[in-house]
Amino acid sequence: MENLILCHPRASSGQDPNQAIIVKCEVPQTIPNDHVLLEVDRFGFSTNNMTYQALGEALHFRYFEFHHAPEAEGASSKTHGVTPVWGFGTIIKSTHPKVHTGERVYGYFAPARYLLLSVSPDVNKYAFFVPRPHLPPDRRPYNQITRCAADPLYDPSPTAEDLTMLYRPLFWTSFWCEDWLNSSNYKGGSTHILISSASSKTAFCLAYLIRRRNSLQGSPTRRVIGLTSTKNLAFTKSLGLYDHTFDYVSFDTSLGNLPRGHWIYVDVAGNDALNARVRDHFRACGDSELATCIALGLTNISASTIEPSSASWGSDSDVSQGIDPKLEHFFMPEWLSIRKQQLSVSAIAQMQKEAWTMLMSDCGTWSVTLRRIYGPDQVKAAYEEIVRRGLVPEDAFVWSLWGETREYGLKVKL
Ligand SMILES: NC(=O)c1ccc[n+]([C@@H]2O[C@H](COP(=O)([O-])OP(=O)(O)OC[C@H]3O[C@@H](n4cnc5c(N)ncnc54)[C@H](OP(=O)(O)O)[C@@H]3O)[C@@H](O)[C@H]2O)c1
């Protein structure tokens, strides 16, 4: 059997990291004990994946260490990386006694046709885990493979699977970030939440969840303000999720025209120059209106980055003198482990189910179009288009390295 894997040159190899290649290699004939062989049906692709690629070699993130590039056709794990993707697949062979051939699964896969994964002993009804002892323990959520048959959020219809691949990796970050903000009463009662890269799904899902909280709490005074690029301004406004939306060119003046209050800045862009302007705006307000700056994303990072910049907020001495608030990194697994001590498993499951059901019913009203791209040449061309034009927020990509004629979606009974 022939496998195909989408790979990217490592920036450290001196090659252009944007020159994606599709590598052909053999699927192993013999499956070692306690392994599964998956057919990766299809996967979502968004800026989130471009960020994984850009940080593939960065020491703190190491996204290229989840799946290894094959040694074939001039590629190797020294010269190439595999960018992880969130997708659905079916187990076609299993040598683990508790995981079965034919199971539908969702997880952090390689963009490939087939994927061989090791299975650790802690298999339960809901999930199994890929052992990755070379990575820090906090990466466990990425090692989890969800067994669809027992997943309360799973809906086998092809469109529901597509929406799951697109929103699930981002929505839970937004959801738990909002929960974390709410747990501090929005950092002591902040009234304005400013979000950069407002057209990204992570940002607008956060805006959506803040609005939801407002209506649950009957608190219409908490305003959500989005910052975006000029070309994405119309799209961002059309979502109807922000109280105000400004472009990066002229936001300084527009912010100054809003009523005074206490602000939180959630940075999804990770752009140093933009952050310096936001910081200067709040410094000029003079009465420390900014309660905190939260780093959530890095949409502006480039594929040739080896380490992200550490200069995206005020210097340590400005923070210690109280001139700027300190930059906080929101890391979902950390907050979730705190919430797991405070809430029962069933309470968390219920919160997630309610939020997910609401998202699935509301997301159809947003002007985001599913773009299904099937086949290796087509996927490579779509990737090259993203490199040329950037990601357009209206496009929600579902990709597969199988061809057009394949019957996608669940083929076995759950
Ligand atoms: N902290 C976490 O655990 C976590 C979890 C999930 C996602 N994230 C991060 O959230 C960010 C958003 O991901 P997403 O998948 O939601 O994004 P998305 O929906 O694909 O967002 C597309 C938007 O990103 C911006 N963008 C895309 N390419 C760009 C480029 N080359 N240069 C500058 N801006 C670009 C543009 O927004 P604007 O024009 O509005 O700037 C564009 O409309 C990513 O950096 C992702 O890694 C973090």
Side-chain angles (χ1 to χ4, degrees):
M1 279 193 299
E2 181 185 83
N3 197 5
L4 298 177
I5 307 181
L6 180 69
C7 298
H8 297 98
R10 288 172 177 266
S12 63
S13 73
Q15 304 171 73
D16 176 358
N18 288 320
Q19 293 295 319
I21 53 169
I22 305 241
V23 180
K24 259 189 220 161
C25 57
E26 281 299 303
V27 177
Q29 296 288 314
T30 326
I31 312 293
N33 281 343
D34 296 332
H35 279 66
V36 288
L37 182 66
L38 301 182
E39 233 180 63
V40 179
D41 198 31
R42 59 208 203 287
F43 50 88
F45 198 91
S46 72
T47 310
N48 194 27
N49 305 89
M50 297 299 273
T51 309
Y52 296 148
Q53 184 198 336
L55 300 178
E57 294 185 88
L59 277 179
H60 181 68
F61 298 96
R62 300 161 63 187
Y63 287 115
F64 284 163
E65 293 183 37
F66 286 87
H67 304 289
H68 293 290
E71 309 281 328
E73 299 194 316
S76 80
S77 50
K78 278 211 177 86
T79 55
H80 287 77
V82 172
T83 300
V85 290
W86 293 94
F88 279 100
T90 302
I91 296 175
I92 58 167
K93 280 185 193 167
S94 172
T95 55
H96 192 289
K98 292 188 186 157
V99 182
H100 311 295
T101 301
E103 282 197 46
R104 189 72 168 164
V105 287
Y106 169 80
Y108 199 55
F109 298 154
R113 281 190 175 177
Y114 296 100
L115 183 60
L116 181 68
L117 294 174
S118 174
V119 179
S120 65
D122 51 343
V123 175
N124 64 49
K125 182 180 161 196
Y126 303 101
F128 59 90
F129 294 85
V130 181
R132 293 193 174 101
H134 58 289
L135 292 175
D138 64 20
R139 309 300 146 98
R140 188 170 159 88
Y142 293 119
N143 298 336
Q144 175 174 324
I145 308 289
T146 301
R147 307 173 87 175
C148 298
D151 176 5
L153 303 181
Y154 182 63
D155 171 345
S157 76
T159 304
E161 278 198 348
D162 287 345
L163 292 173
T164 300
M165 289 180 277
L166 294 168
Y167 282 109
R168 194 157 162 170
L170 314 163
F171 184 70
W172 294 126
T173 297
S174 312
F175 178 84
W176 289 110
C177 181
E178 192 285 326
D179 180 73
W180 172 67
L181 288 173
N182 186 54
S183 73
S184 66
N185 185 27
Y186 279 78
K187 305 283 171 187
S190 297
T191 48
H192 294 73
I193 322 299
L194 179 67
I195 309 178
S196 67
S197 238
S199 66
S200 68
K201 286 182 269 303
T202 306
F204 71 69
C205 285
L206 178 62
Y208 170 70
L209 290 158
I210 296 170
R211 290 175 81 87
R212 176 174 178 248
R213 182 76 64 188
N214 279 351
S215 66
L216 287 174
Q217 294 179 340
S219 164
T221 51
R222 197 179 293 133
R223 305 265 169 212
V224 192
I225 298 103
L227 301 182
T228 184
S229 37
T230 310
K231 64 180 184 339
N232 294 328
L233 191 63
F235 166 82
T236 310
K237 285 187 171 171
S238 79
L239 294 168
L241 298 172
Y242 294 95
D243 294 290
H244 302 278
T245 313
F246 304 128
D247 67 18
Y248 297 137
V249 179
S250 59
F251 74 88
D252 325 58
T253 321
S254 312
L255 285 188
N257 294 333
L258 294 182
R260 310 304 288 259
H262 288 281
W263 291 66
I264 293 172
Y265 175 43
V266 183
D267 177 28
V268 181
N271 179 320
D272 291 344
L274 171 68
N275 287 345
R277 282 173 58 204
V278 170
R279 190 188 58 209
D280 290 348
H281 166 81
F282 285 103
R283 277 186 184 175
C285 291
D287 46 5
S288 40
E289 291 199 342
L290 189 60
T292 187
C293 168
I294 295 152
L296 195 64
L298 290 163
T299 59
N300 284 201
I301 207 165
S302 115
S304 48
T305 304
I306 298 209
E307 288 297 328
S309 161
S310 57
S312 74
W313 197 243
S315 69
D316 287 349
S317 74
D318 289 338
V319 171
S320 64
Q321 288 172 48
I323 296 171
D324 296 319
K326 83 174 184 341
L327 176 72
E328 298 183 79
H329 290 267
F330 176 73
F331 190 48
M332 186 183 84
E334 236 167 54
W335 176 238
L336 197 50
S337 68
I338 294 173
R339 290 301 259 161
K340 280 180 176 164
Q341 287 162 18
Q342 298 170 338
L343 299 165
S344 67
V345 173
S346 62
I348 290 182
Q350 184 58 25
M351 279 163 77
Q352 297 206 144
K353 175 106 183 137
E354 276 170 20
W356 185 254
T357 307
M358 189 193 68
L359 173 77
M360 288 297 101
S361 116
D362 291 344
C363 70
T365 63
W366 302 333
S367 38
V368 175
T369 308
L370 274 171
R371 280 189 62 196
R372 300 179 174 100
I373 308 233
Y374 299 155
D377 295 340
Q378 292 82 343
V379 163
K380 187 164 174 290
Y383 176 82
E384 287 163 357
E385 187 190 330
I386 292 175
V387 170
R388 271 196 314 276
R389 296 177 39 204
L391 257 149
V392 179
E394 289 88 340
D395 288 343
F397 285 116
V398 172
W399 291 355
S400 173
L401 292 190
W402 299 93
E404 281 290 346
T405 52
R406 180 184 164 91
E407 187 196 328
Y408 285 93
L410 183 72
K411 283 178 242 82
V412 287
K413 220 167 159 288
L414 283 173

